[in-house]
Amino acid sequence: MELFDTATVLTRVMTSGVVMSIEKSDRELPGLERLLTKRTGRAHAVLVNSRSAAVHAALAGQGIGHGDTVSVPELSPKDAAFLAWLGVEVADEPGPAAFEHIALDAGRAHLLDEQARALRAPALVVDLTGLGFGPAAAVLTDDRTVWARAERLKIFGAYDLRTMWTQEESETDLIPGVQFNYRLSPLVAACARMALSQAVRPLTTGAPS
């Protein structure tokens, strides 16, 4: 990643006057959401500030919580520990995956499209932390209810931004018992978007035929 590219993006965000994700006029978070839905072929994206937050949102979006049992392929030790903290058990026998996951870094960002389209779970966790701009992740899904529940897990998520000034709830059945500070910074979102936009498949070289 060229240094001047990062500086340009940071300057754009800082001079916009919008550096917090609770601002209705923010353009960086929606921009990253659009890019991720386009690249993964999913209809909805929820942006959060860590992989653990994305795992939590992927489960909460499906109504999975304490006392439930899930199947997750290739679960990492950290994810397994977090599920245990949530009180969610992992099934001994394989079954339909509650979510699948992809971890990106600068060398693998170009593989997002290919990897995402090969996965079929109702929720896809994409860990963006490896891109190098701080903890960041997303949950991608085609199910609007999963998206809505996952979004409501965040304090000042999309739903809260609609109602924070009016104090009126339009969908009271989606209100979680507890909300978490899972909001992603527009600065991090802008840099992650830049990295994904610039990701290109490496050229292959070989002897001419």
Side-chain angles (χ1 to χ4, degrees), residues 46 56-64 143-154 159 171 173-176 178-179:
V46 178
H56 193 181
L59 296 174
Q62 299 174 72
I64 298 170
D143 190 319
R144 187 186 181 281
T145 300
V146 172
W147 167 81
R149 288 174 175 167
E151 189 68 38
R152 283 310 304 261
L153 196 63
K154 297 187 295 184
Y159 278 83
E171 298 183 60
D173 58 317
L174 293 177
I175 302 175
V178 178
Q179 288 180 294

Side-chain angles (χ1 to χ4, degrees), residues 10 12 44 54 56 59 70 74-75 85 144 146 156-157 160:
L10 293 178
R12 183 185 76 226
H44 308 287
H56 193 181
L59 296 174
V70 298
E74 301 178 4
L75 193 65
W85 182 81
R144 187 186 181 281
V146 172
F156 296 124
D160 288 342

